Amino acid sequence: MFVRCIGTLPNVRSLLKMNCRKLILPQKVVEAAQEREFDLQGYVFEAAPEQLRTPRIVRVGLIQNKIILPTDAPVLNQITALHKRVSEIVEVAAFCGVNIVCFQEAWTMPFAFCTREKEPWTEFAESAEDGFTTRFCQELAKKYNMVVVSPILERDEIHGGTLWNTAVVVSNTGQFLGKSRKNHIPRVGDFNESTYYMEGNTGHRVFQTQFGRIAVNICYGRHHPLNWFMYSINGAEIIFNPSATVGAVSEPMWSVEARNAAIANHCFTCAINRVGTEYFKNEFTSGNGKKAHHEFGHFYGSSYVAAPDGSRSPGLSRTHDGLLVAEIDLNLNRQTADKWNFKMTGRYDMYADELTKATQNDFKPNIIKE
């Protein structure tokens, strides 16, 4: 079922009266989602009509899912089972006319980075350029004329087999377009990710696709406003945030962070989170005083899309696999920027100068005292 969310630079009064109406999807789409047992939702974000520009309509798809097999099942079996599950959902996304689809963080594996064990989890790592999963995504992209954003655990054989948390971007032509690595690595509770990989070295890449300029701000980067900002400065019109996060850690912040970023950066943001509770055979601790345990906590899904005018979609289910389809008009980015002028009024030269000073060892805070 689609809901239309009108996002045409409303004032506060009209925002409070914003009307949403349901749109009927083709029956085969509704039936396919029901048969395959996943939550299907859709929303439309409209811009105001313009005299010189036609609407720039793009449909994005956000996929959230549970792992399929137990975490101690053979590695290849786990990867293959997830490929099969996600391909079922991507097919429905294609029925919905999706142009760009993004999967959740490290989608081909359990989020095992809580355990601090190297085996078997490092065996899930693949080449970003020509690995098993990238070839799988290239086939999907060609088949459905769809850009695919595929966040994986990357093994960089050129640089000594180093591991990275990486998003691969495949063009709708099926060509490998590029990759973007996770810029910020958490050290919070069970999130022991620096045991496996460190901060990325690809900066803030933006990918020019047939459907618009996109960027990928992986998971923990959403807590860093400057990270979103730099993707925007490089021209991103849509910023995807594939994540894996649990309720006890981040749920109070989840519903506002991507929305705030969309407002601050005059762009669309897409927050994606996995679902389910993943059980690990060996107990683990995280040096935080808690007893040894077998699971990370509940991944609460709730994936959503936010627009630059402050509107956002409801989230997908907290407990079930899901596909969220958003039809967006990229003209809304410039319309919002023309109204609020955040980039025009930003004092970037001043910030850059003061930040440069703040990174020096002899920095002294600018505090005036009596």
Side-chain angles (χ1 to χ4, degrees), residues 3 46 60 63 79 102 130 133 141 149 174 185 193 229 261 276 281 289 292 331 333:
V3 176
E46 292 183 329
V60 297
I63 294 178
I79 296 173
C102 185
D130 58 5
T133 295
V149 181
I185 307 303
E193 297 173 45
F229 172 71
K281 183 178 179 180
N331 282 354
N333 289 347

Side-chain angles (χ1 to χ4, degrees), residues 310-329:
S311 58
R312 58 150 286 186
S313 73
L316 286 174
S317 169
R318 294 186 74 260
T319 56
H320 295 98
D321 292 2
L323 167 64
L324 189 153
V325 179
E327 181 178 292
I328 64 180
D329 186 344

Side-chain angles (χ1 to χ4, degrees), residues 90-159:
V90 170
E91 183 177 50
V92 176
F95 292 155
C96 293
V98 165
N99 305 118
I100 308 170
V101 68
C102 185
F103 308 146
Q104 64 202 24
E105 181 184 19
W107 73 274
T108 62
M109 63 182 292
F111 206 75
F113 310 122
C114 52
T115 67
R116 297 197 302 276
E117 300 170 336
K118 293 300 179 74
E119 292 292 335
W121 317 121
T122 57
E123 294 188 52
F124 284 89
E126 307 178 40
S127 165
E129 288 76 13
D130 58 5
F132 180 40
T133 295
T134 295
R135 294 196 302 272
F136 166 78
C137 291
Q138 288 175 308
E139 291 301 314
L140 290 178
K142 286 188 292 186
K143 182 176 182 180
Y144 298 121
N145 188 33
M146 188 185 299
V147 174
V148 177
V149 181
S150 171
I152 63 168
L153 182 62
E154 176 196 3
R155 185 175 295 280
D156 182 2
E157 295 289 3
I158 294 176
H159 296 96

